[in-house]
Amino acid sequence: MSSHAEGSHDASHHHDDSHSPAHYVKIWAVLLVLLGVSLAGPEIGIRWVTLITAFGIAVVKAFLVIKHFMHLTVERKVAQYAIGACFMLMLLFFFAVAPDVMKHWGVNWHNEAASNMKREIERSEHHAPAADQAHAPADGAGHPEASAPAAATH
Amino acid sequence: MMRPIATTRSATGIPTGRLAVWWVIASEIVIFGGLLGGYLLHRFGHPEWATAAAHTNTMAGGFNTFVLLTSSLSAVLAHAAAEKGEGPKAAKYLGLTMLGGLVFLIVKSFEWTYEISHGYTITANTFWSFYYTAAGLHGFHVIAGMVIMGFVAADAMKNRELQRVELIGIYWHFVDLVWIFLFPLLYIAK
Amino acid sequence: MAESPSHAHDGHAHAGHGAHDGHGGHHEESWFVHYFWSTDHKMIAKQYLVTGMLMGVIGAYFAYVFRMQLAFPGKPVPGYGLVTGADYNALVTNHGAIMIFWVAMPVLIAAFGNYLIPLMIGCDDMVFPRINRLSYQIFAISAVLVVASFFVQGGAFGGAWTAYPPLSAKAEYSLTPAGSSLWLIAVALEFVAFLLGGINFVTTAMNSRAPGMKAFDIPIAVWMIVIASILFMASVGPLIAGALMLLFDQMIGTGFFDPDRGGDPILWQHLFWFFGHPEVYVVLLPAMGFVAEIITTFSRKKMFAYKTVLATTFATGLLSFFVWAHHQFIAGIDPRMANVFSVTTVLISVPIAEMCFVYIATLYGGSITFSVPMLWALAFIAEFLLGGVTGIYLGSSGADIYFHDTYFVVAHFHYTFFPIAIIGSFAGMTYWYPKMFGTFMNEAWNKLHFWVTIIGFNGIFLPLFITGASGDHRRIFDYTNFPELDTPELQSLRVLATVSLLVMLVIQPVFLINFFYSMFRGKKAGANPWKANTLEWQAASPPPHGNFPTLPEVYRGPYEFSVPGRDEDYWPQNSPN
């Protein structure tokens, strides 16, 4: 990518800073640093740190792209509202459906099938050899377990 | 075909093409939102999916994130060039963006081949179903973006329709945004 | 150059109208390009209209068959044969899906939106004419697919238009492996077509207005179609995601909605209804827009409270996203959420009622002409009110425990959908017919058609409120299997409903013949036969390619009727003085 070299040439042109190639390259560099942090986060091993680095950084990255690459923050309001409204709708969808789909038990009911998923997952692990990826699985996914048949519902 | 006069008007102040692209993005937000929302609902409810999620290739995912972020950079550089009226330069940057998309798809195809050959198929369990569906829908949008970008670049090379460089760029940034969220969802949250 | 007023339908073109057989446009178009490859919004509108009308005939035929089965169970239906349980399910499923997705939406939104928006805002076409053409083509393919689903092995999908899994996900339950997937793909393609169309409509209406047309000078019909398009675009996404997931469940064996595999069938319901509820407002709003145009024109009065109509429309549109789970009260959702949705559902009746009140206030004191469009518009208000108030019973979750899945629901939504899709369409068609084709329809035949249709319609669904409240469950193909429902009283009501349907169906060919015949032999209409103010009436009838020889400028709002001090009781938007 020759963008690096290009950027320093164009920075002197008449565009205000926020539209200059040099500015874009700077933002890109920040994005890459953030990517690195989010990759490093899980290495620390603390679950909350991982989640914050992974998703918090995703939000920050998204904001950077939206603001500096898509220029949504300087766009006419109508476009901002349209995008914002659709995002809000997704939050509405998630939080309104969560009581039904996310939870698997209530005062008077228990989703048996969902509990059986755990066994299902572990059973399907038998088809795959032990993990040989960069990350070792958090819990011992490869250890053999009596492959109990999934709860019969048919 | 003559462009209608309608296309040249702009009562909102936003050029017609860009206004349309924002509406496209808005409708895509709810498509991916529905899919990712559905995934999240299941994921929160099934902590044991972490076992399955452990097998995603974080390095491949991370590398692909780097590729897409860089392709977003080249897309916005194309826009900067187009704003200055430099069509062939914008086309060159768009070409780099398309190349980024291609690298993304190639890495993904290696990734998936490995996973499938190890039994992590789309029907293995519902985590993998969501994994392939979400990443697949995203990949479909990458391909569609590359195709459209090709047409825009071809025009830009001849210094024509330069305003479309920004438009396809906005779409491409959105595709990048979806991946920015897909990456932690599928690769980091284990 | 006048555009030929005739148009093709389902494959064969009519010859051009005797007097003007020219092809419009800057260049000579071949016959094929003119009718099948046009990018002109008016031609695309007519393509949608004709396709929608044809699909309406198919949907009505299905209703005929299954209502005959209900009235005379076990007897072969003339023009069909014996109706099995599987047949019945496929007929009911596709009647619903076709009427909503392939009749209401293409006629109300795609046909009238395409036709009216550029004309009413004073420009020459949509901003993306080729995408417009593409959207119709995708739509046409989707229509072909859904009809084709009846001819594949296993037959058409019979899992209800709501397609709940696991019935819809597993071929071992639905018994229609090919039909299920074809149906789903058809629906998905229809969504894509309307997304493309919607972007065109919204962008055009937002950007391409005539100089001088400020926001509150925009005719209500345009506002309504645009807001409906926005509602559609914002709500269909989750269902597209869900359709993809369901398709994978059907075709490759994933378990998105299978509890044994970690999925959840309730997720489908939520994905479906999150769209499904705004969808009914997507079709309602354009119909209300047509009524607004008609009642102002035929009472020679301005809209009683234009801004209130807009405000209530925004409120309705916004609220429509917060009510969806009232379709799921007894599906096993969290009862606390049922409380919330009950409140929002009853609340949404307020802005819609307000809109109806504004319409009635508009009529009050007006100089009313009972033209055919006005008759349809008045019928819309009356019938829709009935549909709306019965919705209150259903929106109250306690009452819904009893009413859910009974014919009370069926009657309720037909008292809303029928005014929307059928009355609204007839209102629009009879009102804008002179503009589209340059001639008048025969008024006497139209009035006959109106009265028989309305009487027939009420005869179908009033009895069904009663049978529903008496316990008639939906989606039952033979009530003789249910001893407590197999009573002479209830059966006579079912027969009454069917006979009324037959009456209503018998009169429809009168309209169709009138519609097509009048194109060639109807009395000539001028540009502005109703003396209305909106810009489409200031163009020729029918408008040429490019619509206006000189694009208009706008000086006032759309409803300046009976302005004191003027000779005429109307004041077109583009008249300088």
Side-chain angles (χ1 to χ4, degrees):
Chain A
M1 291 235 147
S2 57
S3 44
H4 234 340
E6 214 102 47
S8 46
H9 288 280
D10 291 335
S12 53
H13 280 294
H14 56 277
H15 278 288
D16 68 282
D17 284 343
S18 68
H19 280 252
S20 74
H23 175 76
Y24 296 139
V25 173
K26 246 191 300 216
I27 300 292
W28 171 74
V30 173
L31 285 168
L32 292 191
V33 167
L34 289 172
L35 171 63
V37 173
S38 63
L39 282 169
E43 301 297 331
I44 299 179
I46 304 170
R47 195 144 178 257
W48 286 114
V49 171
T50 303
L51 285 175
I52 289 174
T53 50
F55 292 100
I57 284 184
V59 169
V60 173
K61 275 198 264 176
F63 183 69
L64 288 173
V65 170
I66 289 172
K67 178 165 184 214
H68 295 279
F69 286 178
M70 296 168 92
H71 304 109
L72 183 58
T73 47
V74 296
E75 184 64 272
R76 283 235 138 75
K77 288 278 185 262
V78 67
Q80 295 182 14
Y81 292 151
I83 302 289
C86 285
F87 180 70
M88 292 293 160
L89 283 176
M90 290 299 92
L91 292 180
L92 167 69
F93 175 75
F94 180 83
F95 285 108
V97 178
D100 288 338
V101 174
M102 209 163 91
K103 276 192 65 183
H104 296 136
W105 70 93
V107 173
N108 295 312
W109 60 281
H110 181 207
N111 185 342
E112 303 280 349
S115 310
N116 291 326
M117 252 304 275
K118 194 173 159 66
R119 249 179 292 169
E120 167 90 14
I121 295 264
E122 265 136 25
R123 199 162 48 86
S124 72
E125 290 295 304
H126 282 296
H127 299 298
D132 51 356
Q133 305 291 334
H135 279 277
D139 49 0
H143 69 75
E145 183 177 270
S147 41
T153 52
H154 302 301
Chain B
M1 200 214 76
M2 264 175 52
R3 179 162 300 155
I5 295 169
T7 317
T8 58
R9 291 176 169 174
S10 178
T12 57
I14 308 180
T16 296
R18 203 164 77 220
L19 182 59
V21 169
W22 289 122
W23 284 115
V24 169
I25 304 288
S27 54
E28 294 278 16
I29 287 177
V30 288
I31 296 176
F32 279 103
L35 186 58
L36 296 187
Y39 168 69
L40 268 175
L41 289 167
H42 283 298
R43 186 74 171 84
F44 283 132
H46 288 286
E48 69 275 13
W49 281 14
T51 325
H55 296 287
T56 56
N57 185 338
T58 310
M59 276 303 132
F63 178 73
N64 266 346
T65 311
F66 161 73
V67 167
L68 276 189
L69 288 174
T70 309
S71 72
S72 262
L73 171 66
S74 59
V76 78
L77 289 174
H79 164 54
E83 289 225 291
K84 295 205 212 97
E86 296 164 359
K89 187 155 156 213
K92 190 185 73 165
Y93 278 125
L94 285 183
L96 285 175
T97 310
M98 290 164 67
L99 183 64
L102 187 62
V103 170
F104 176 90
L105 292 170
I106 290 175
V107 170
K108 189 149 280 305
S109 55
F110 276 113
E111 198 191 345
W112 281 10
T113 310
Y114 181 89
E115 281 157 355
I116 292 170
S117 64
H118 282 76
Y120 305 121
T121 61
I122 192 173
T123 48
N125 61 56
T126 314
F127 166 79
W128 289 105
S129 305
F130 272 108
Y131 171 85
Y132 287 109
T133 306
L137 187 65
H138 174 261
F140 169 74
H141 282 81
V142 170
I143 296 173
M146 283 165 66
V147 168
I148 299 174
M149 199 172 276
F151 286 109
V152 174
D155 274 340
M157 190 61 93
K158 302 179 210 143
N159 263 314
R160 285 177 40 212
E161 310 282 12
L162 289 183
Q163 79 284 356
R164 289 182 183 166
V165 175
E166 179 186 17
L167 306 187
I168 190 61
I170 294 176
Y171 172 86
W172 191 261
H173 295 309
F174 172 74
V175 168
D176 188 18
L177 276 177
V178 173
W179 183 259
I180 283 174
F181 285 102
L182 266 183
F183 171 60
L185 281 175
L186 298 177
Y187 292 90
I188 301 199
K190 299 188 184 208
Chain C
M1 278 188 280
E3 179 185 274
S4 171
S6 59
H7 55 270
H9 68 105
D10 59 316
H12 27 96
H14 289 284
H17 186 302
H20 15 106
D21 204 352
H23 295 286
H26 319 284
H27 51 274
E28 190 61 29
E29 284 182 323
S30 76
W31 164 95
F32 175 79
V33 169
H34 181 67
Y35 287 113
F36 289 98
W37 204 253
S38 178
T39 56
D40 186 306
H41 69 103
K42 301 184 288 298
M43 182 55 74
I44 294 174
K46 289 180 204 158
Q47 290 170 341
Y48 272 111
L49 180 63
V50 166
T51 310
M53 286 165 75
L54 178 64
M55 295 302 274
V57 169
I58 295 176
Y61 170 68
F62 292 172
Y64 157 75
V65 175
F66 67 68
R67 277 242 58 94
M68 287 294 282
Q69 158 65 16
L70 287 171
F72 312 110
K75 304 263 186 324
V77 173
Y80 183 87
L82 197 62
V83 179
T84 64
D87 284 352
Y88 184 88
N89 292 338
L91 291 166
V92 165
T93 299
N94 286 285
H95 166 82
I98 286 177
M99 287 306 203
I100 296 174
F101 295 131
W102 285 281
V103 179
M105 287 184 72
V107 173
L108 293 170
I109 301 173
F112 283 108
N114 255 312
Y115 200 86
L116 295 175
I117 291 179
L119 283 167
M120 281 180 140
I121 65 174
C123 68
D124 55 337
D125 206 322
M126 290 286 180
V127 290
F128 303 120
R130 283 170 300 184
I131 293 185
N132 209 7
R133 175 179 62 199
L134 177 67
S135 75
Y136 174 74
Q137 290 164 344
I138 295 177
F139 171 78
I141 292 174
S142 77
V144 166
L145 287 183
V146 77
V147 172
S149 71
F150 277 84
F151 301 103
V152 297
Q153 195 173 57
F157 176 59
W161 86 285
T162 50
Y164 284 3
L167 177 63
S168 61
K170 293 191 172 184
E172 66 189 291
Y173 301 150
S174 70
L175 306 178
T176 59
S180 304
S181 298
L182 265 181
W183 185 92
L184 199 53
I185 293 171
V187 172
L189 281 178
E190 195 264 9
F191 289 164
V192 170
F194 275 87
L195 276 176
L196 288 178
I199 289 168
N200 233 334
F201 293 173
V202 176
T203 309
T204 304
M206 285 177 76
N207 252 2
S208 308
R209 284 171 267 145
M213 183 178 272
K214 299 186 289 301
F216 299 145
D217 300 323
I218 301 174
I220 289 190
V222 172
W223 270 116
M224 294 294 192
I225 296 175
V226 167
I227 295 174
S229 300
I230 295 174
L231 285 184
F232 180 80
M233 289 197 292
S235 65
V236 82
L239 184 54
I240 292 181
L244 188 61
M245 289 152 69
L246 184 62
L247 198 64
F248 282 173
D249 272 13
Q250 286 176 354
M251 294 181 78
I252 61 183
T254 50
F256 286 111
F257 303 117
D258 185 346
D260 289 331
R261 310 271 306 278
D264 196 337
I266 290 255
L267 178 61
W268 166 267
Q269 291 191 19
H270 282 290
L271 288 168
F272 183 88
W273 288 115
F274 184 84
F275 160 72
H277 198 84
E279 163 70 1
V280 315
Y281 298 99
V282 167
V283 290
L284 169 65
L285 260 35
M288 296 209 74
F290 303 162
V291 170
E293 300 304 324
I294 292 169
I295 61 175
T296 47
T297 299
F298 289 109
S299 57
R300 315 311 284 168
K301 272 188 76 185
K302 48 167 33 138
M303 178 59 63
F304 177 77
Y306 175 101
K307 291 189 186 166
T308 303
V309 171
L310 285 190
T312 53
T313 308
F314 293 143
T316 305
L318 181 62
L319 264 176
S320 72
F321 283 100
F322 291 83
V323 304
W324 81 86
H326 65 231
H327 300 270
Q328 298 164 260
F329 280 145
I330 66 170
I333 62 171
D334 189 323
R336 295 165 296 181
M337 294 307 289
N339 289 340
V340 172
F341 282 109
S342 210
V343 170
T344 53
T345 302
V346 174
L347 206 56
I348 201 173
S349 63
V350 172
I352 304 177
E354 172 72 7
M355 253 195 275
C356 291
F357 293 152
V358 169
Y359 285 6
I360 293 171
T362 304
L363 291 164
Y364 183 80
S367 171
I368 294 182
T369 309
F370 289 102
S371 62
V372 172
M374 184 56 137
L375 288 173
W376 286 114
L378 293 174
F380 173 91
I381 298 173
E383 307 282 18
F384 188 78
L385 274 172
L386 228 119
V389 301
T390 51
I392 310 268
Y393 291 95
L394 297 170
S396 313
S397 50
D400 191 61
I401 294 174
Y402 180 77
F403 284 126
H404 180 79
D405 263 352
T406 64
Y407 267 82
F408 194 91
V409 178
V410 175
H412 157 74
F413 68 66
H414 280 91
Y415 264 96
T416 48
F417 262 125
F418 189 92
I420 290 169
I422 307 298
I423 297 181
S425 296
F426 285 137
M429 282 196 273
T430 53
Y431 183 59
W432 279 292
Y433 189 94
K435 178 56 52 189
M436 292 173 80
F437 302 109
T439 54
F440 288 106
M441 289 179 82
N442 181 303
E443 192 176 5
W445 285 116
N446 265 347
K447 287 193 170 166
L448 174 68
H449 168 251
F450 168 79
W451 285 111
V452 176
T453 301
I454 291 298
I455 293 171
F457 162 69
N458 285 290
I460 303 171
F461 293 106
L462 280 172
L464 294 183
F465 275 124
I466 302 172
T467 62
S470 307
D472 261 15
H473 205 273
R474 285 174 77 174
R475 299 167 178 156
I476 300 293
F477 94 113
D478 190 343
Y479 285 102
T480 61
N481 296 326
F482 292 77
E484 70 278 11
L485 297 174
D486 188 24
T487 65
E489 298 80 22
L490 286 177
Q491 186 60 19
S492 61
L493 287 171
R494 295 178 201 125
V495 171
L496 174 58
T498 300
V499 168
S500 303
L501 172 65
L502 293 176
V503 165
M504 196 182 84
L505 288 180
V506 146
I507 204 69
Q508 300 312 312
V510 167
F511 178 84
L512 289 172
I513 294 170
N514 195 356
F515 188 84
F516 289 106
Y517 181 85
S518 303
M519 280 181 213
F520 307 105
R521 302 292 221 201
K523 195 174 75 161
K524 285 262 178 304
N528 195 356
W530 312 129
K531 295 198 167 33
N533 297 329
T534 42
L535 291 178
E536 79 275 24
W537 300 108
Q538 319 311 322
S541 292
H545 193 60
N547 295 341
F548 302 93
T550 331
L551 289 177
E553 283 191 39
V554 163
Y555 302 97
R556 63 193 63 83
Y559 305 116
E560 297 300 313
F561 289 103
S562 304
V563 177
R566 281 183 53 82
D567 294 335
E568 298 277 4
D569 70 346
Y570 67 110
W571 201 357
Q573 287 189 272
N574 62 334
S575 295
N577 45 20

